[in-house]
Amino acid sequence: MINLGSPPPALPDGGLRVVALGGIGEVGRNMTVFEHAGRLLVVDCGVLFPEDDQPGVDLILPDFRAIENRLDDIDALVLTHGHEDHIGAVPFLLKLRPDVPVVGSRFTLALLAAKCREHRQTPNLVEISDGEQRAFGPFELEFFAVNHSIPDAVAVAIRTSAGLVLHTGDIKLDQLPLDGRLTDLAGFSRLGDEGVDLFLVDSTNAEVPGFVAPEREIGPVLENVIRRASQRVIVACFASHVHRVQQVLDVAVQYRRRVALVGRSMVRNMGIAAELGFLHVPDGLFVDLDEAMRLPEDEVLFVSTGSQGEPLSALSRMARGEHRQISIRAGDTIVLASSLIPGNENAVFGVVNGLSRLGATVVHQGNAKVHVSGHSPAGELLFLYNAVRPSNVMPVHGEWRHLRANAALAVATGVAEDHVVIAEDGVVVDLVDGKAAISGRVEVGHVYVDGLSVGDVGESTLSDRLVLGEGGFIAITVAVDSTTGRAVAPPTLSGRGFSDDPKALDQAISLVEMELSRTEAEGITDSHRIAQAVRRVVGRWVAETYRRRPMIVPTIIPV
Amino acid sequence: MINLGSPPPALPDGGLRVVALGGIGEVGRNMTVFEHAGRLLVVDCGVLFPEDDQPGVDLILPDFRAIENRLDDIDALVLTHGHEDHIGAVPFLLKLRPDVPVVGSRFTLALLAAKCREHRQTPNLVEISDGEQRAFGPFELEFFAVNHSIPDAVAVAIRTSAGLVLHTGDIKLDQLPLDGRLTDLAGFSRLGDEGVDLFLVDSTNAEVPGFVAPEREIGPVLENVIRRASQRVIVACFASHVHRVQQVLDVAVQYRRRVALVGRSMVRNMGIAAELGFLHVPDGLFVDLDEAMRLPEDEVLFVSTGSQGEPLSALSRMARGEHRQISIRAGDTIVLASSLIPGNENAVFGVVNGLSRLGATVVHQGNAKVHVSGHSPAGELLFLYNAVRPSNVMPVHGEWRHLRANAALAVATGVAEDHVVIAEDGVVVDLVDGKAAISGRVEVGHVYVDGLSVGDVGESTLSDRLVLGEGGFIAITVAVDSTTGRAVAPPTLSGRGFSDDPKALDQAISLVEMELSRTEAEGITDSHRIAQAVRRVVGRWVAETYRRRPMIVPTIIPV
């Protein structure tokens, strides 16, 4: 999907330009580029996971075209936290500019470094701490502690001669955070006193009224579930949710269960978290999977990935009875301590149903309070606006419904309506003389990763996949004498994804033969024209006979 | 998906057999067959809508195989209400047995008759009213008023010498129903006094705690939204939800807006509802779409289908800016007064985002109380169990997670655990001497309707579609001399749904040529073996080069 529009005029001297190459108008692949005095600052560089109309795609990247000719102008890439939708595309940017300073907190950079190792990259890491100030080119940055569903998240303030900008990253306001590290509302208020010219605010939960319950309220719910379990317990959650896992571990210790981590990303991330002191693991608590299988069933607990119903995950395989080691038995307890990301409902409920069918007790968001969101809903966003008191607001991180809801909250707190700028990916916003306004648009499309290659799968391939996935195809192959146009053998018709009936296409063969006689009689020898004629005949036949629309693929072989 | 298992032994004399051919273990295509004294009674005959792993399928029917040799034994087909998942497959059953008595309430039969007219069928309709008793063969039926999200729903009691059975159909317990027609809990209690041997209970909302708010609480919310609208208002809801539409019409009258119905099923069903007196429409309220377009924007209201984000619906077209007549403008108000059926989230939010992007105010379940469910949640189900006090319980209408939750509620009210029978589609339950128990299993698969034909699309076609939809295909065509095995022309390779890059397959051509030289050298002339060899080479190449798995389709033409 390419957005067309006018490119913006040159940025006035002393102005600040903001453009999202991903993450606004969608949830994922967050990447915002700031320009000032001829230099660039990038905040986040994440991936987006594909939807139903993007079949076969593994990942979607931000569109780097707007900066690909200015890579040397980038003074820093700031990462607000370690979630995939904020760091997942960094290796692809590093391929273009390997030495860009990558700025982030300790845990964020540790996750990034692990990712880069898999890509055989050694990024230029610049670790910052809460409250630190640091300049990169003309951008004077200040970092603020932020609470989110991963440790060590930060918001970033950007000071330039154009004014003061604050970008929340992903944020919520848990007032009793498990690690005691509060979102630095006091710091935001101090910035507000100073005067924030542009406030970029997480929109993800702007439609949701009220407040998020504290993360620590999950613990007693888990305790209540695990206390009553007399057999195996499996808790699935996001592989980066250190505080959720911490609470599971605490309950495991309490009920004398040892813990096995299941899933590559869970093992990797919790290893990093434990090593850096973000996860506290008593000695001897962890066992490997083989050892766990030898323990009595009421002395073990598995912490697993697969909470979104990913078909290849360990949990999905257990639900289908296909896991190599773990067989679910009636009476086992499975907890999905996670959100239900829109679009994953069928997959997740498929897992819940599979486990239920096997007789397991399945505890999930829908029947117990085993999850709280990582994003501020409306009530908390109001606190943020009132602390920061910004002159201009730009809702980020969200689909249009979220952006509009967030904009309405800004206006409700007193921000002037024409100072709230909704600018989806590619829309250029300039902050000049204290006023933010749209100045144009750059092209931003979807960049697809499918297997090993990036960018060769585009909209035309996807549209073919959608047609093929709905109706399969009918292939017609004819060898034709290239001088006379006569078919030298009977045409073959074969369908895949069209019908289970082996005789389904029989009727069409004679129609193709008749059409070939006609083209021959008319002296048509051009393969392309013969192919068109044959495609038309079969397409019409299948529409009338079956009312279906398979792809019709003629191949004419001149011999 | 074929379930294998042992077929049941002969039903003991005086026993009652129950088997679901659809609707248990899934939400949709409800169809339950009762057998007694050599005769059959069928309750409901609906369709199921396909999921992601059933691409291109229009509808899924119950599997009639278990009864197809006993069609003449069917004494009646009882329809509990007029929703598609209860009546949608009736025309397919009538094709097999056109004269079967179809028993239902007035509104249910009117909807069925309209459906049958589209199939050019004239069913043998038997209208019953609330409280009526009527025998069909050895089945003595009694009908009870039931409240649901469509008017005129009924539950059915079935008396035979095997005992008394009560089937709720879809049910909830709105204590202030808009039409004053309460679920007949008093009647259920009377049956309970008599002694209910087997209770089949709607499981859809068994996982949801509490009670459903009365339907009439939606009215004031709609009023509050529509009162403030200064431009066009569009309300989307289910085309059979007469009471929801009634409340919309009442508010339209109050604010002097005339009403246009949008969507074929909305026009048809509301026409029937108005004609039969289920919908009260003041004279002159309805206008057609053309007339509506000429009215001032604040004097019109559209009631539309498309609340589930169906891509071809009027509302989806409006959201994409593609509707022929209605263009959404900033300031318009759209209300989605409907549930969000799991699996439809992306489609529905796509519509919400499209409308938001155009500047419309979008009111939906997520931000206002504009929908209540049609199914009893846990709190109401407890009332049902305590009224009926059944000896045996069989949860129906639901996925495994719903069935388990419903079973737990039955047990909580005192039903003995071994008298609660979870029997998914095809599992045979016999009620003998007052005890219900599983006696075997009959084959029940998915019967797919795709376009005009039924049953020719099966699991192998669907699995091909899934492969094609994920990765497209690479076709390799070679004309080969059938005596020497030599290729008479260079092989052609072409991909669809594989890559946008026209050179993507160039590398593979020489590999295919080398392989053809090898097969020729080995004296291989058999087309099938040549095809296999070529497929293997290209498959390996594409996996290594792209790490993708397109379908590889070789065609060898012997000339």
Side-chain angles (χ1 to χ4, degrees):
Chain A
M1 198 177 57
I2 306 291
N3 293 312
L4 297 175
S6 318
L11 177 64
D13 277 350
L16 177 82
R17 176 160 286 179
V18 190
V19 58
L21 305 185
I24 309 190
E26 63 197 354
V27 174
R29 63 163 186 163
N30 296 289
M31 180 171 183
T32 311
V33 179
F34 296 86
E35 178 177 3
H36 177 68
R39 305 296 296 173
L40 303 178
L41 176 81
V42 179
V43 175
D44 290 327
C45 187
V47 293
L48 171 68
F49 295 98
E51 299 202 352
D52 294 349
D53 57 350
Q54 294 153 332
V57 169
D58 299 322
L59 295 172
I60 304 169
L61 306 182
D63 188 338
F64 297 152
R65 280 178 296 171
I67 56 166
E68 67 186 358
N69 294 322
R70 300 192 55 192
L71 294 165
D72 289 335
D73 296 340
I74 304 174
D75 284 316
L77 164 60
V78 173
L79 303 178
T80 57
H81 61 283
H83 279 149
E84 285 298 313
D85 57 334
H86 292 255
I87 71 167
V90 173
F92 299 91
L93 186 61
L94 291 181
K95 270 181 211 159
L96 306 179
R97 171 82 198 278
D99 66 333
V100 67
V102 182
V103 183
S105 66
R106 192 154 182 233
F107 188 60
T108 304
L109 293 186
L111 291 180
L112 180 76
K115 172 179 291 297
C116 287
R117 265 194 299 278
E118 291 169 5
H119 287 259
R120 297 168 199 279
Q121 294 175 328
T122 46
N124 172 14
L125 302 177
V126 181
E127 188 179 315
I128 50 81
S129 46
D130 300 348
E132 187 168 341
Q133 302 194 18
R134 190 146 184 166
F136 294 88
F139 304 97
E140 291 170 23
L141 308 186
E142 182 174 354
F143 299 92
F144 296 85
V146 155
N147 178 256
H148 183 44
S149 47
I150 189 170
D152 225 15
V154 296
V156 58
I158 305 165
R159 284 187 181 80
T160 65
S161 64
L164 173 56
V165 175
L166 178 60
H167 190 313
T168 60
D170 285 357
I171 193 169
K172 68 169 169 172
L173 304 182
D174 190 336
Q175 294 302 294
L176 296 167
L178 210 69
D179 59 0
R181 184 173 172 272
L182 288 158
T183 291
D184 188 3
L185 263 186
F188 289 179
S189 300
R190 176 174 50 72
L191 288 187
D193 294 345
E194 181 182 340
V196 171
D197 296 288
L198 178 61
F199 190 28
L200 294 92
V201 187
D202 179 6
S203 308
T204 313
N205 268 346
E207 279 194 315
V208 178
F211 295 78
V212 182
E215 172 67 27
R216 64 174 64 213
E217 290 186 8
I218 306 292
V221 180
L222 291 172
E223 200 251 304
N224 191 36
V225 170
I226 294 167
R227 174 170 48 79
R228 290 183 298 177
S230 58
Q231 296 176 196
R232 279 199 191 123
V233 176
I234 302 168
V235 182
C237 68
F238 284 112
S240 58
H241 206 319
V242 176
H243 294 162
R244 190 71 43 86
V245 172
Q246 183 70 62
Q247 298 192 89
V248 177
L249 300 190
D250 293 348
V251 178
V253 169
Q254 192 179 349
Y255 291 97
R256 299 175 193 285
R257 288 178 181 260
R258 300 179 79 191
V259 173
L261 301 175
V262 182
R264 203 174 59 91
S265 54
M266 185 66 78
V267 172
R268 187 192 68 181
N269 294 354
M270 293 309 140
I272 293 170
E275 193 186 315
L276 298 184
F278 290 96
L279 184 73
H280 307 288
V281 187
D283 281 345
L285 181 65
F286 281 162
V287 291
D288 66 23
L289 196 53
D290 287 333
E291 197 178 340
M293 296 310 293
R294 288 192 296 269
L295 288 171
E297 297 205 331
D298 60 347
E299 294 181 16
V300 65
L301 183 150
F302 300 88
V303 177
S304 171
T305 55
S307 65
Q308 295 303 307
E310 301 89 334
L312 300 180
S313 69
L315 194 66
S316 288
R317 292 202 303 271
M318 291 177 214
R320 293 192 302 264
E322 294 171 2
H323 193 271
R324 208 162 35 85
Q325 287 161 291
I326 305 175
S327 305
I328 300 297
R329 294 195 310 120
D332 286 349
T333 301
I334 289 96
V335 184
L336 301 182
S338 53
S339 68
L340 214 177
I341 294 177
N344 295 349
E345 290 80 1
N346 283 343
V348 172
F349 288 134
V351 168
V352 173
N353 286 323
L355 296 168
S356 300
R357 192 170 188 272
L358 295 168
T361 299
V362 188
V363 178
H364 57 89
Q365 233 203 145
N367 57 23
K369 189 81 188 162
V370 289
H371 175 71
V372 294
S373 173
H375 300 271
S376 282
E380 297 183 12
L381 291 173
L382 293 174
F383 272 82
L384 282 173
Y385 284 119
N386 287 327
V388 176
R389 294 150 279 160
S391 313
N392 298 278
V393 166
M394 188 172 157
V396 297
H397 305 169
E399 302 168 5
W400 271 90
R401 60 194 176 105
H402 308 124
L403 303 173
R404 289 252 184 245
N406 200 359
L409 294 171
V411 171
T413 62
V415 182
E417 203 153 342
D418 66 333
H419 286 235
V420 179
V421 186
I422 299 186
E424 63 184 349
D425 295 347
V427 171
V428 178
V429 175
D430 288 347
L431 175 67
V432 178
D433 298 333
K435 171 81 172 76
I438 290 172
S439 65
R441 193 189 271 268
V442 298
E443 273 190 40
V444 172
H446 283 130
V447 179
Y448 300 113
V449 180
D450 182 0
L452 291 179
S453 68
V454 181
D456 79 307
V457 167
E459 303 306 331
S460 121
T461 294
L462 293 187
S463 117
D464 280 351
R465 285 182 186 173
L466 291 169
V467 171
L468 290 166
E470 284 286 298
F473 69 88
I474 295 174
I476 311 151
T477 313
V478 197
V480 166
D481 185 315
S482 52
T483 50
T484 64
R486 167 189 288 265
V488 301
T492 64
L493 268 78
S494 64
R496 294 297 294 271
F498 176 67
S499 174
D500 280 16
D501 177 3
K503 297 184 191 303
L505 301 176
D506 285 4
Q507 262 193 304
I509 294 177
S510 56
L511 291 175
V512 173
E513 285 176 336
M514 279 166 55
E515 184 65 10
L516 289 169
S517 305
R518 192 189 65 77
T519 54
E520 184 193 346
E522 289 191 10
I524 298 173
T525 57
D526 175 57
S527 294
H528 184 66
R529 286 184 63 196
I530 298 172
Q532 273 188 317
V534 165
R535 178 191 285 120
R536 196 173 47 237
V537 163
V538 176
R540 195 181 299 144
W541 169 80
V542 78
E544 281 167 9
T545 312
Y546 286 91
R547 208 177 290 164
R548 296 186 195 160
R549 291 192 299 176
M551 185 180 281
I552 313 286
V553 187
T555 307
I556 308 299
I557 312 212
V559 287
Chain B
M1 198 177 55
I2 305 292
N3 292 313
L4 297 174
S6 319
L11 177 64
D13 277 351
L16 178 82
R17 175 160 286 178
V18 190
V19 56
L21 304 186
I24 309 191
E26 61 197 356
V27 174
R29 64 163 187 163
N30 296 289
M31 181 172 183
T32 311
V33 179
F34 296 86
E35 178 178 3
H36 177 68
R39 305 296 297 171
L40 303 177
L41 176 81
V42 179
V43 175
D44 291 327
C45 187
V47 293
L48 171 68
F49 295 98
E51 299 202 353
D52 294 348
D53 57 351
Q54 295 152 331
V57 169
D58 299 322
L59 295 172
I60 303 168
L61 306 181
D63 188 338
F64 297 152
R65 280 178 297 170
I67 57 166
E68 67 186 358
N69 293 322
R70 300 192 54 192
L71 294 165
D72 288 336
D73 295 340
I74 304 173
D75 284 316
L77 165 60
V78 174
L79 302 179
T80 58
H81 61 282
H83 279 149
E84 285 298 314
D85 57 335
H86 291 256
I87 71 167
V90 173
F92 298 91
L93 186 61
L94 291 181
K95 272 182 209 156
L96 306 178
R97 170 82 198 279
D99 66 333
V100 67
V102 182
V103 183
S105 66
R106 193 155 182 230
F107 188 59
T108 304
L109 293 186
L111 291 181
L112 180 77
K115 171 179 291 295
C116 287
R117 266 194 299 279
E118 291 168 6
H119 286 259
R120 297 167 199 279
Q121 294 176 328
T122 47
N124 171 15
L125 303 178
V126 181
E127 187 179 315
I128 50 81
S129 45
D130 300 347
E132 188 170 340
Q133 302 195 17
R134 191 148 183 165
F136 295 88
F139 304 97
E140 291 171 24
L141 308 186
E142 182 174 354
F143 299 91
F144 296 84
V146 155
N147 179 255
H148 183 44
S149 48
I150 188 170
D152 225 14
V154 297
V156 58
I158 306 166
R159 284 188 183 79
T160 65
S161 63
L164 173 55
V165 175
L166 177 60
H167 190 313
T168 62
D170 284 357
I171 194 168
K172 68 169 168 172
L173 304 182
D174 190 335
Q175 293 303 294
L176 297 167
L178 211 68
D179 59 1
R181 184 174 172 273
L182 287 159
T183 290
D184 189 2
L185 262 187
F188 289 178
S189 300
R190 177 174 50 72
L191 288 187
D193 293 344
E194 183 183 338
V196 171
D197 296 288
L198 179 60
F199 189 27
L200 294 92
V201 187
D202 180 7
S203 309
T204 313
N205 269 347
E207 279 195 314
V208 179
F211 296 77
V212 182
E215 172 67 26
R216 65 173 65 213
E217 289 186 8
I218 306 292
V221 180
L222 291 172
E223 200 250 304
N224 192 36
V225 170
I226 293 167
R227 175 172 47 79
R228 290 183 297 177
S230 58
Q231 295 175 198
R232 279 196 192 127
V233 176
I234 302 167
V235 182
C237 68
F238 284 111
S240 58
H241 206 319
V242 176
H243 295 161
R244 191 70 46 85
V245 172
Q246 183 70 62
Q247 299 192 87
V248 178
L249 301 190
D250 294 347
V251 178
V253 169
Q254 191 180 349
Y255 291 97
R256 298 176 195 284
R257 287 177 182 261
R258 300 179 79 190
V259 173
L261 301 176
V262 182
R264 204 174 57 92
S265 55
M266 185 66 78
V267 171
R268 187 191 69 180
N269 293 354
M270 293 308 140
I272 293 169
E275 193 187 316
L276 299 184
F278 290 95
L279 184 73
H280 307 289
V281 188
D283 282 346
L285 180 66
F286 281 164
V287 292
D288 66 23
L289 196 53
D290 287 334
E291 197 178 339
M293 296 309 294
R294 289 192 296 268
L295 289 171
E297 297 204 333
D298 60 347
E299 294 180 16
V300 64
L301 183 151
F302 301 88
V303 177
S304 171
T305 55
S307 65
Q308 295 302 309
E310 302 89 333
L312 300 178
S313 69
L315 195 67
S316 287
R317 292 201 303 271
M318 291 177 214
R320 294 192 300 263
E322 294 171 1
H323 193 271
R324 209 161 35 85
Q325 288 162 292
I326 305 175
S327 307
I328 301 297
R329 293 196 310 122
D332 287 349
T333 301
I334 289 98
V335 184
L336 301 182
S338 54
S339 68
L340 214 177
I341 294 177
N344 295 349
E345 289 81 2
N346 282 343
V348 172
F349 289 133
V351 168
V352 173
N353 286 324
L355 296 168
S356 299
R357 191 171 189 272
L358 295 168
T361 298
V362 189
V363 178
H364 57 88
Q365 235 203 145
N367 58 22
K369 188 82 188 162
V370 290
H371 175 72
V372 293
S373 173
H375 300 270
S376 283
E380 297 183 13
L381 291 172
L382 293 174
F383 271 82
L384 282 173
Y385 284 118
N386 287 328
V388 175
R389 294 149 282 160
S391 311
N392 298 279
V393 166
M394 188 170 156
V396 297
H397 305 169
E399 302 168 5
W400 271 92
R401 60 195 176 105
H402 307 123
L403 304 173
R404 289 253 183 244
N406 201 359
L409 294 171
V411 171
T413 62
V415 182
E417 204 153 341
D418 66 334
H419 286 234
V420 179
V421 185
I422 299 188
E424 63 183 349
D425 295 348
V427 172
V428 179
V429 175
D430 288 347
L431 175 67
V432 178
D433 297 333
K435 171 81 172 76
I438 290 171
S439 65
R441 192 189 272 267
V442 297
E443 272 191 39
V444 173
H446 283 129
V447 179
Y448 299 113
V449 180
D450 182 2
L452 292 179
S453 68
V454 181
D456 80 305
V457 167
E459 303 305 331
S460 119
T461 294
L462 293 187
S463 114
D464 280 352
R465 286 183 186 171
L466 291 170
V467 171
L468 290 166
E470 284 286 300
F473 70 88
I474 296 174
I476 310 151
T477 314
V478 197
V480 166
D481 184 313
S482 51
T483 50
T484 63
R486 168 189 287 266
V488 301
T492 64
L493 268 77
S494 64
R496 294 297 294 272
F498 176 69
S499 174
D500 279 17
D501 177 2
K503 297 185 191 302
L505 302 176
D506 285 3
Q507 262 193 301
I509 294 177
S510 55
L511 292 176
V512 173
E513 285 176 335
M514 277 165 56
E515 184 66 8
L516 289 169
S517 305
R518 192 189 64 78
T519 55
E520 184 194 347
E522 291 191 10
I524 297 172
T525 57
D526 175 58
S527 293
H528 184 65
R529 285 183 62 196
I530 299 172
Q532 273 188 318
V534 165
R535 178 191 285 119
R536 197 174 45 235
V537 164
V538 175
R540 195 180 301 144
W541 169 80
V542 78
E544 281 167 9
T545 313
Y546 286 92
R547 208 178 290 166
R548 295 186 195 160
R549 291 192 300 177
M551 185 180 282
I552 313 286
V553 188
T555 307
I556 309 299
I557 311 211
V559 289

